[in-house]
Amino acid sequence: MSGFDSLSLKTKLFAVFIVMAAVCVSLPLMLAYSQLTSDLSAEAREGVQEQLRLARRLLLKTDGQTISARVSSVSSLVGREVAYLGSDGKLYSRASWINFDGDLLSRPEVKGAFQDGTGFHYGTDPVSGKEVLYGAMAVKNLPDAPRGVLMIEQAVPRIGKRLDTVRSVFFWSIPIVALLCYGSIRILVRQLSESVKSMVRTAEAVGQGNYKRRIRNLPDKEFMPLAESINWMAERIDEHVGIITGQKDKLQAVLNGMWDGVMVLDSDCRINKVNRSMKDIVPGIEDCINRNPLEIISSPSFQDTCRQVLSGEGPASASIQLTLDGDRTYEVNIVKSANTTGPGQGPGAIAVFHDISEIKRLEKVRQDFVANVSHELRTPLTSVKGYAETLLSDPPPPESLQKSFLETIKKNADHMCKIVDDLLNLSRLEAGRAQTDLRVFDPAAALDQAWEACSSLAEVRGVSLKNDLAGANNLIEADPDQLMQVFRNLLENAVKYGPEEGTVEVVHAVEEDVIRIEVHDEGPGIPSSDRKRIFERFYSVEKHRRNEFGSTGLGLAISRHIVRNHGGEIWVESPPPGKSAGTAFVFTLPRIS
């Protein structure tokens, strides 16, 4: 960039104005100077010419004297020294201002006089040193004298003064014009600067995100197109940002509305963005933006799979299963996304975390269900088959044993029928097809019926019941038979797994619109690892004791569905609050005021 280009606008305008002013002022002044010099020179020549004519007339009228005396007389009459030079180069009358011993005929004014009758020449007086005008005029027909020229000297002090005045005017006009130019340019530039500053402030505001900013005070017409262009640009940017923001909000709403977790990775395999579900899946991941997934998810295989998808020769998509928090399983689909750019300005990837924990759990439940049903049916079937083969053997067993064998076969058949009935009952409850006879009654009546059904087992183990429901006069709307079945299942478990000669306690509490009922036993309790699965089909904490009491392993699962179908909840607390041992099965039912 040249030096001139680096100057400010004000300096450039000032320099251009000064040059133009100097040119505009100099041209007329130079013309005036030239014209004045010409006029003064003409005036001086005319004055000298008049004096020479006068001297020539006086010289022609004088007579009877020598040429030298006659010229001296003319000098006295004219009032200045006059010299006479003959055509032969002889000076017949000298003057003090002639200080030239050479060829006087070669002087310019002498040559001009012999050629044109009159000649002039500017020079310097040898005595005073001032500028003078030498003039010469041819003289003919002079009696007693050769043809020659009269010479005279005329001082020209007035020419110098007038020219000095012109010079002064010229040199003083330049600073004045410069000051005027500077003031005018300063005012002009200030106006331009205000207009430019207004446009700059608007452009900066738009650049900083204030897309509603406009140039309200429009500048002069020179900047009007630029101001209108900036306003138009701001409007277009505002519209486009609004569209982009709307699309971004919609996309963010879609991402946040997804149940699946979404992680957006840039080309350097760094986390760029996550949705709300992803924050719930991996707490604290929002603080790990622009970091590698391995820093928040301790799975090298997931990191390696992401890098494979992001690599140039890698697959367009890949899937991997991750287990987080020990019990949550996710199927992660990683897809390359060409529209996702990051620091590397290359294609990124999107990882979608789909929770398949419930699918895995149900798959395991199904597997366990098949295994448990097979086990529950195999044991009595094996017994039935064995005793039946024994009865059919040859020779058959004694009659005293045959009856015992048949009773065993009947007992196992009854157990299998109970399993099938419980499975059918559970299936109807899960499907909502179970017939429900809703009545308003006191749950204490259902509890009494359930305890009566368990009385034989309770007598064998010496277990007693402690109940605070009797006389409470709580009314609920439920199916008495189904509620009795819930009480029976819970009481049977409490009697079976509690200690002999122990106590089963049933307590209740009224909480707002529900009644809370708890069935406590004094058994060893349920480990924390088994509490989540205690209500699953055929699940048993002590599987080796199930056949001891003829249990099907479906009682708690049936109880849970009955309670839920009546609008309540059921759960287990082991040990109950305030106790160091035992188990409490708690369920709630809506009550009638």
Side-chain angles (χ1 to χ4, degrees), residues 47-56 78 80 152 154:
V48 171
Q49 191 172 12
E50 288 296 328
Q51 291 181 2
L52 287 172
R53 288 196 187 103
L54 177 60
R56 187 175 63 180
V78 173
R80 62 180 62 249
I152 195 171
Q154 170 72 39

Side-chain angles (χ1 to χ4, degrees), residues 134 233 270 291 410 438 569:
Y134 295 106
M233 176 193 68
R270 296 181 183 276
R291 295 168 65 180
K410 181 179 181 300
L438 296 179
E569 290 293 334

Side-chain angles (χ1 to χ4, degrees), residues 11-30:
T11 304
K12 292 179 180 179
L13 288 176
F14 181 71
V16 171
F17 269 70
I18 285 297
V19 172
M20 293 179 63
V23 172
C24 293
V25 172
S26 299
L27 287 177
L29 286 178
M30 289 175 64

Side-chain angles (χ1 to χ4, degrees), residues 257-459:
M258 294 176 60
W259 289 100
D260 297 335
V262 178
M263 177 189 296
V264 181
L265 302 172
D266 61 24
S267 57
D268 292 332
C269 198
R270 296 181 183 276
I271 301 173
N272 184 266
K273 185 183 297 183
V274 295
N275 69 340
R276 187 179 302 164
S277 297
M278 194 68 214
K279 296 177 183 178
D280 297 334
I281 294 172
V282 184
I285 194 172
E286 63 272 15
D287 299 328
C288 296
I289 302 298
N290 296 326
R291 295 168 65 180
N292 288 321
L294 188 60
E295 299 182 39
I296 189 68
I297 299 176
S298 57
S299 174
S301 59
F302 174 62
Q303 178 83 9
D304 294 340
T305 305
C306 293
R307 292 195 178 278
Q308 289 175 5
V309 172
L310 288 171
S311 63
E313 300 178 355
S317 63
S319 297
I320 187 175
Q321 285 191 4
L322 294 179
T323 301
L324 303 177
D325 297 334
D327 59 347
R328 305 302 296 178
T329 303
Y330 296 90
E331 183 176 1
V332 185
N333 295 318
I334 307 168
V335 181
K336 185 179 296 184
S337 173
N339 296 326
T340 304
T341 58
Q345 297 302 315
I350 298 177
V352 180
F353 288 68
H354 180 62
D355 191 351
I356 58 173
S357 303
E358 186 65 16
I359 297 176
K360 289 288 186 181
R361 188 188 69 81
L362 293 175
E363 183 179 352
K364 188 175 188 310
V365 169
R366 181 183 60 81
Q367 294 173 352
D368 292 344
F369 174 74
V370 173
N372 288 328
V373 169
S374 301
H375 175 74
E376 294 295 335
L377 294 178
R378 174 182 289 277
T379 301
L381 280 174
T382 301
S383 179
V384 168
K385 180 181 179 183
Y387 283 106
E389 289 176 349
T390 302
L391 290 172
L392 294 174
S393 63
D394 188 20
E399 293 184 1
S400 59
L401 291 177
Q402 291 181 7
K403 182 177 181 181
S404 174
F405 288 174
L406 291 173
E407 289 177 352
T408 302
I409 291 173
K410 181 179 181 300
K411 177 182 176 182
N412 285 285
D414 291 339
H415 181 64
M416 286 189 291
C417 288
K418 186 177 180 182
I419 292 176
V420 173
D421 290 341
D422 284 347
L423 283 174
L424 291 175
N425 188 20
L426 180 60
S427 177
R428 286 193 295 268
L429 288 171
E430 288 179 342
R433 297 194 304 268
Q435 294 181 356
T436 304
D437 182 15
L438 296 179
R439 300 178 187 176
V440 177
F441 65 97
D442 189 342
L447 176 62
D448 292 340
Q449 294 178 7
W451 181 250
E452 183 178 352
C454 299
S455 59
S456 59
L457 180 61
E459 291 177 0

Side-chain angles (χ1 to χ4, degrees), residues 81 94-100 107 123-132 134 153 155:
E81 290 182 308
R94 297 186 65 85
S96 61
W97 43 268
I98 296 178
N99 185 19
F100 187 73
R107 291 176 67 90
T124 303
D125 186 88
V127 178
S128 63
K130 295 181 179 180
E131 184 180 7
V132 294
Y134 295 106
E153 179 195 62

Side-chain angles (χ1 to χ4, degrees), residues 34-336:
S34 176
Q35 186 64 36
L36 180 59
T37 303
S38 177
D39 292 344
L40 293 176
S41 178
E43 181 181 347
R45 291 185 180 188
E46 185 177 352
V48 171
Q49 191 172 12
E50 288 296 328
Q51 291 181 2
L52 287 172
R53 288 196 187 103
L54 177 60
R56 187 175 63 180
R57 286 198 300 270
L58 293 175
L59 182 61
L60 291 175
K61 291 180 179 180
T62 57
D63 55 2
Q65 297 179 2
T66 63
I67 185 64
S68 177
R70 293 165 66 183
V71 172
S72 297
S73 176
V74 170
S75 297
S76 300
L77 294 174
V78 173
R80 62 180 62 249
E81 290 182 308
V82 179
Y84 184 79
L85 176 65
S87 59
D88 55 0
K90 180 180 179 182
L91 187 62
Y92 290 90
S93 176
R94 297 186 65 85
S96 61
W97 43 268
I98 296 178
N99 185 19
F100 187 73
D101 296 332
D103 185 9
L104 294 177
L105 294 176
S106 62
R107 291 176 67 90
E109 66 271 21
V110 175
K111 289 182 177 181
F114 280 121
Q115 292 177 1
D116 302 325
T118 306
F120 302 95
H121 170 61
Y122 286 99
T124 303
D125 186 88
V127 178
S128 63
K130 295 181 179 180
E131 184 180 7
V132 294
L133 177 63
Y134 295 106
M137 182 174 287
V139 179
K140 299 178 181 179
N141 303 323
L142 183 64
D144 303 328
R147 176 174 171 267
V149 294
L150 285 174
M151 299 174 62
I152 195 171
E153 179 195 62
Q154 170 72 39
V156 287
R158 290 181 297 171
I159 295 178
K161 283 186 177 182
R162 294 183 183 182
L163 293 179
D164 289 341
T165 301
V166 173
R167 293 191 191 98
S168 299
V169 170
F170 175 77
F171 287 111
W172 278 106
S173 62
I174 294 298
I176 293 173
V177 170
L179 290 175
L180 293 175
C181 290
Y182 180 77
S184 301
I185 292 171
R186 188 175 181 84
I187 295 173
L188 176 62
V189 170
R190 181 178 297 174
Q191 294 178 348
L192 295 177
S193 298
E194 290 299 324
S195 300
V196 172
K197 287 179 181 178
S198 176
M199 292 185 285
V200 168
R201 286 193 294 267
T202 301
E204 290 178 347
V206 173
Q208 293 172 359
N210 184 8
Y211 306 117
K212 302 296 182 183
R213 180 70 176 267
R214 298 292 185 273
I215 302 174
R216 305 300 179 188
N217 298 323
L218 295 177
D220 297 335
K221 63 180 181 180
E222 289 79 5
F223 288 100
M224 189 77 71
L226 178 58
E228 292 176 349
S229 298
I230 292 177
N231 286 340
W232 180 84
M233 176 193 68
E235 291 177 1
R236 298 289 82 76
I237 292 177
D238 189 19
E239 291 179 1
H240 293 161
V241 169
I243 294 173
I244 294 173
T245 302
Q247 293 175 346
K248 180 182 177 182
D249 293 341
K250 291 179 181 178
L251 178 60
Q252 191 65 39
V254 171
L255 290 177
N256 290 333
M258 294 176 60
W259 289 100
D260 297 335
V262 178
M263 177 189 296
V264 181
L265 302 172
D266 61 24
S267 57
D268 292 332
C269 198
R270 296 181 183 276
I271 301 173
N272 184 266
K273 185 183 297 183
V274 295
N275 69 340
R276 187 179 302 164
S277 297
M278 194 68 214
K279 296 177 183 178
D280 297 334
I281 294 172
V282 184
I285 194 172
E286 63 272 15
D287 299 328
C288 296
I289 302 298
N290 296 326
R291 295 168 65 180
N292 288 321
L294 188 60
E295 299 182 39
I296 189 68
I297 299 176
S298 57
S299 174
S301 59
F302 174 62
Q303 178 83 9
D304 294 340
T305 305
C306 293
R307 292 195 178 278
Q308 289 175 5
V309 172
L310 288 171
S311 63
E313 300 178 355
S317 63
S319 297
I320 187 175
Q321 285 191 4
L322 294 179
T323 301
L324 303 177
D325 297 334
D327 59 347
R328 305 302 296 178
T329 303
Y330 296 90
E331 183 176 1
V332 185
N333 295 318
I334 307 168
V335 181
K336 185 179 296 184

